[in-house]
Structures are given as structure tokens and as C-alpha cells.
């Protein structure tokens, strides 16, 4: 049965995109007001995968809550664990062994590559190219295999814990990562040729979803979405943690302000991540992979905030402690939530067909937005 | 600016602001009646330029609620934390979404999770919870015997 299409008083059409729609990559529900094909308003409706992780964490100990954070942005689960572990370490003043620091950074960068790979495949598929999706997943598979050997998991890793990492590296880890890097550099060049230079693809992306620098800052955008608008916001450079101040890499900034600029940032970031891994993979210091910590962690009374750069932007972990074994209040400042708030502004006035391309370049992960 | 310089600067600009110890950044406590004007000055003052609101949340202290705003300047790279005490029985505060537009969605989240009313907010509706949901989930006295698991 076809129901009558909802219309506003001005005669504009109101349609739903999602929550079950292949282009929203999850359960994102957008209510779009359309005048013909032109978007007048985009309203996000959230909550389809809301688990109230913040409330759950109030009942979990400082060792347990790390496992929940993997379920937020599942494509950067290592980095979510990392941010949470950093916050606990800041409160407890735990000094992490140098071996663990290097392992953490390598894992973070591998995660970033895997996440950007998945985004690249899905992004190309959103704009109508199917082949890249299979290419991207083939390469991503290699990374998840490497991770599985060391962490025992393929998606929700739970490998980085307060004090260091859960277990030592698998004996084959270095060999396999080096093989992967060598292969991946060549593959990324090939992908660039396949998609980046494609005229049809460029026409879909250029001048679409323009977000000026001022707006990107005002909407609190972070990560590649903001760096595509010329905002310098890489936490790894601005507030370096672990060994990011000892490795050479470049903060990727594009000034195009459109979807194509955001696309280029992520592609160039993959090369930077390869560079970081190459510098560290032969220089993993010997020693402990975990600091000696007490069985029960108790944070002193106070407030602690840690910031890390996930594949999508800045993840902030804000812990308010009353001196107990569980956090009094915990807040995750998720990058996706703020990036989503810019979507309405970007989409207004453009055609509905471009909305999918815009959402693609914002790289939204819905469990990260809903938490 | 270092934290001490920031404190001196803030005391000069806003005499009603007091400071809390602790944390790595300056913790400024602002009376809620003056928040609207102070927020605009934070954003526009040429020496502060706190143009980026990177975290907005609320904490339930059982006796009162505290709004917590984390601000940073993309020009000078200083960070600061603003805290505002609110009455728990009738929490009301001016919105800042015309100053930092990211606040629009963040305030809607706080509205449904803590029951804080943001005055003059353009579109204060529920964002995550369903319309028939009762209570404010992130308040400390919220109990849900079915869906909440305590260890």
C-alpha cells in the first residue's frame, strides 16, 4: 500500500532516509525536507543503537570499562581502548613501558589504515563504483588477520589496557606487517589510479558538501572531515601522546573544503600511517609490555581528560572520579556526533543525490554517534 | 597563554568568575545568570578566541547539576573548562548554540539525559530517546530494574 507522501505547509516533501538504508551504513535515520530535488533541511534522528555506554561505565571498574569502549567506534576499536587507557593512566600516574608505547602506536596506525580502507571501499560504492569495495576488503582482511594473531579478535580488540597492552606481540607480527606494508604501498597507488583520477568520481565529489573553515570549527568537526576544510586539528601533532612526538609524519591538510578534499585527506593519511609504521616496526624496544599495576585500580578524586586521534577525529574521554573503584561520571566525546551536526548545514541547497556522497565523506559510524 | 596567565586574564575580564583547583586546565566557575554574555566574550575576545567547543556535558552531583564546557582556541591553543552550577529541581540555562553551533545537538542530548532546559534553543526536542521514555537516564537516581545490569 502506498501511503500519501507527507508534505509541509509550504508543499515541501518530507521523506525518511533510513534507519534501514544501505547508504547510511548502519541505523542512522535522517528526515529530509525536499523541495523538488533540493534539500531544505536534514534532521538526524538517533537512538536506534543507543546502549547508554556512559551509564554502563558508571557500574564498571576501571579495568572493565575498556571492553565497552571497543563497541563505540568499532572500526577504530584499538584507538578507543587507547584513549580510555590513557585517561586511567593519567589519573593513576602509571608510567607505561616503552615497548608498550610503540606497540600501541603501531596498532593505532594499522587500525587507521584498516578503517580508511573500509571507508574508501564503501565511499566508492556509495558513488556507484563496485570494484573498489572488494579491493578494499581484500587488503583490510590482511590487517585483521595480523591483528587476530596478536589480539585474538578481529573487530573489538580490547588489546590496549591500563598499564600497557594485554599480551606480547605474536612472533610473526613484525614479518607480516613488513610484508603488508610493502604490498600495501603499491596497492594504494593502484587504487589512486582507479578511483581518485576518475572523471565521473571527481564530478560527483568536487564542489559538493562545502564546509568552510569557520563552519568546520563552529560545528566542532575534527579529523579528516575538518582537515579537508583547512583546520589544523590532528591531536597526534597538537597534543602528542605516546611516541608520536618522536616519529616523523605530516599533518595532512587540504583547503578544498568540499567532499573531494575530505577524500584526499584520508587517502594521503594512509600514506602517512604507512610511514609511521615503517619507522617503528624495526625499532620496537625490548622489555615489558605491561607496567606492574594493582589488581584493583582506584583513581584519586578529581577530573581527568584524555584526547586521542581516531580514524574519524578527536575522541575525548572525560572521567570524573570520587575516589572509588568505578567512575562517578564518564563522558565520551565522540568524533562522529560532532561531524554529524555539520551535515544539515552542508546539505542545504544541494541535490538529494549528493547527500549520500556527503555522508560518505563524513565517514559516520553510527554506534560511535549513539554510544 | 599558560594557565596562570589565563587566570589573571579571566579575572580581569569577568570579576564574577571563580576558579576551582585540579585538572590539567583552568577550571572557571561561572554564575549561570551571566553565562550568555560571558560565552560570547570567550568566543570573540581577541586575546581569548575560544572558538572551538570540544566537549559539552553535565554531571549529576545529587544535590545539584554541573554543566561542563570544554573550550579551546584554534588560534592560541589554550584549553579551559567552564563549570556552571544548576538547581537540580528546575535546571535552566541559556543556550550557546548561536555562539558554537556544535552545541545544538550536544545540548539536545543533555536535555533528554539530564533534564536541563536550554532557554532560547531553536529546536529543543529529544534526539536519542523515544518520546514516551520517562525519567532522565544519566541522573544518579534513575533506576531501570529490567535493562540495567549492576555488578
Amino acid at each position: 500500500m502506498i501511503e500519501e507522501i507527507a508534505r509541509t505547509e509550504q508543499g515541501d516533501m518530507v521523506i525518511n532516509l533510513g534507519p534501514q538504508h544501505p547508504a547510511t551504513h548502519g541505523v542512522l535515520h535522517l528526515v529530509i525536507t525536499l523541495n523538488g530535488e533540493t534539500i531544505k533541511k536534514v534532521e538526524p534522528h538517533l537512538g536506534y543503537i543507543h546502549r547508554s555506554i556512559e551509564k554502563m561505565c558508571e557500574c564498571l571498574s576501571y579495568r572493565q570499562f575498556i571492553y565497552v569502549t571497543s563497541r563505540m567506534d568499532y572500526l577504530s576499536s584499538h584507538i578507543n581502548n587507547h584513549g580510555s587507557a590513557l585517561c586511567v593512566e593519567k589519573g593513576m600516574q602509571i608510567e607505561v613501558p616503552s615497548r608498550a608505547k610503540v606497540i600501541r602506536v603501531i596498532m593505532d596506525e594499522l587500525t587507521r589504515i584498516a578503517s580508511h580502507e573500509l571507508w574508501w571501499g564503501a565511499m566508492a560504492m556509495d558513488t556507484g563504483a563496485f570494484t573498489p569495495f572488494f579491493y578494499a576488503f581484500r587488503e583490510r582482511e590482511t590487517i585483521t588477520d595480523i591483528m587476530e594473531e596478536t589480539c585474538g579478535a578481529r573487530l573489538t580488540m580490547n588489546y590496549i589496557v591500563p598499564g600497557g597492552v594485554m599480551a606480547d606481540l605474536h612472533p610473526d607480527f613484525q614479518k607480516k606487517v613488513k610484508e603488508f606494508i610493502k604490498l600495501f604501498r603499491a596497492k594504494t597507488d593502484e587504487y589512486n589510479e582507479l578511483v581518485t583520477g576518475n572523471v565521473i568520481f571527481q564530478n560527483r565529489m568536487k564542489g559538493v558538501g562545502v564546509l568552510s573553515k569557520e563552519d568546520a570549527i563552529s560545528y566542532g568537526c575534527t579529523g579528516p572531515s575538518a582537515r579537508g576544510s583547512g583546520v589544523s586539528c590532528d591531536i597526534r601533532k597538537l597534543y602528542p601522546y605516546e611516541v608520536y612526538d618522536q616519529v616523523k609524519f605530516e599533518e595532512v591538510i587540504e583547503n578544498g573544503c568540499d567532499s573531494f578534499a575530505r577524500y584526499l585527506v584520508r587517502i594521503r593519511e594512509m600514506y602517512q600511517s604507512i610511514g609511521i609504521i615503517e619507522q617503528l616496526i624495526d625499532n620496537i624496544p625490548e622489555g615489558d609490555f605491561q607496567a606492574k599495576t594493582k589488581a584493583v585500580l582506584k583513581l584519586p578524586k578529581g577530573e581527568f581528560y584524555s584526547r586521542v586521534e581516531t580514524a574519524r577525529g578527536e575522541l575525548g574521554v572525560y572521567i570524573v572520579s570520587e575516589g572509588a573503584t568505578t567512575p562517578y561520571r564518564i563522558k565520551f566525546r565522540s568524533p562522529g556526533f560532532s561531524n554529524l551536526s555539520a551535515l544539515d548545514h552542508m546539505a542545504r541547497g544541494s541535490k538529494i543525490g549528493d547527500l549520500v556522497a556527503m555522508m560518505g565523506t563524513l565517514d559516520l559510524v553510527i554506534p560511535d554517534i549513539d554510544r | 597563554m599558560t594557565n596562570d596567565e589565563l587566570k589573571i586574564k579571566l579575572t580581569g575580564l569577568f570579576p564574577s568568575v571563580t576558579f576551582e583547583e585540579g585538572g590539567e586546565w583552568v577550571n572557571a566557575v561561572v554564575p549561570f545568570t551571566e553565562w550568555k554574555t560571558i560565552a560570547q566574550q570567550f568566543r570573540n575576545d581577541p586575546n581569548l578566541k575560544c572558538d572551538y567547543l570540544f566537549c559539552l556535558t553535565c554531571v549529576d552531583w545529587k544535590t545539584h547539576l554541573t554543566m561542563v564546557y570544554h573550550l579551546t582556541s584554534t588560534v592560541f591553543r589554550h584549553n579551559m573548562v567552564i563549570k556552571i552550577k544548576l538547581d537540580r529541581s528546575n535546571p535552566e540555562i541559556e543556550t550557546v548554540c548561536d555562539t558554537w553551533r556544535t552545541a545544538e545537538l550536544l545540548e539536545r542530548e543533555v536535555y533528554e539525559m539530564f533534564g536541563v532546559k536550554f532557554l532560547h534553543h531553536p529546536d529543543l526536542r529529544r534526539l536519542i530517546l523515544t518520546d514516551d521514555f520517562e525519567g532522565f537516564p544519566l541522573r544518579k537516581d534513575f533506576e531501570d530494574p529490567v535493562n540495567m545490569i549492576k555488578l
Side-chain angles (χ1 to χ4, degrees), chain A residues 43-47 50 52 54-55 58-60 64 90 215 217-222 232 238-239 303 305 307 314 318 320 322 328-329 331 333 337-338 341 345 370-371, chain B residues 23-25 27 51-52 54-62 68 70 72 74 77 79 83 100-102 105-106 109 113-114 125 127-128 137-140 142 148 150-151:
Chain A
E43 269 179 76
H45 283 224
L46 305 177
H50 182 67
S52 203
E54 290 170 14
K55 186 80 176 177
E58 287 175 16
C59 311
L60 297 173
Q64 291 167 330
K90 206 181 250 182
D215 287 334
I217 293 171
S218 183
Y219 278 106
C221 293
T222 45
S232 159
L238 297 174
Y239 310 99
E303 293 172 8
Y305 197 101
R307 323 165 82 170
E314 172 186 342
Y318 175 54
V320 180
E322 281 284 84
Y328 185 76
R329 166 96 174 96
K331 156 88 184 166
R333 181 252 185 253
F337 194 88
S338 303
S341 69
H345 178 78
D370 274 4
R371 281 159 287 135
Chain B
E24 56 195 304
W25 301 318
N27 287 289
D51 49 3
Y52 177 37
F54 65 92
C55 187
L56 185 160
T57 188
C58 188
V59 183
D60 181 9
W61 290 104
K62 291 177 187 158
V68 185
H70 285 79
T72 192
T74 53
R77 297 288 169 207
N79 302 299
K83 290 183 185 171
W100 300 282
R101 277 183 283 183
T102 177
L105 286 191
L106 291 164
E109 193 192 1
M113 295 293 172
F114 288 93
R125 285 177 299 128
L127 179 69
I128 291 170
L138 283 178
R139 282 201 184 187
K140 285 285 170 186
F142 178 85
M148 253 166 74
K150 279 192 177 166
L151 296 171

Side-chain angles (χ1 to χ4, degrees), chain B residues 71-83:
Chain B
L71 293 173
T72 192
S73 163
T74 53
V75 186
F76 303 112
R77 297 288 169 207
H78 51 235
N79 302 299
M80 65 178 96
V81 189
I82 313 293
K83 290 183 185 171

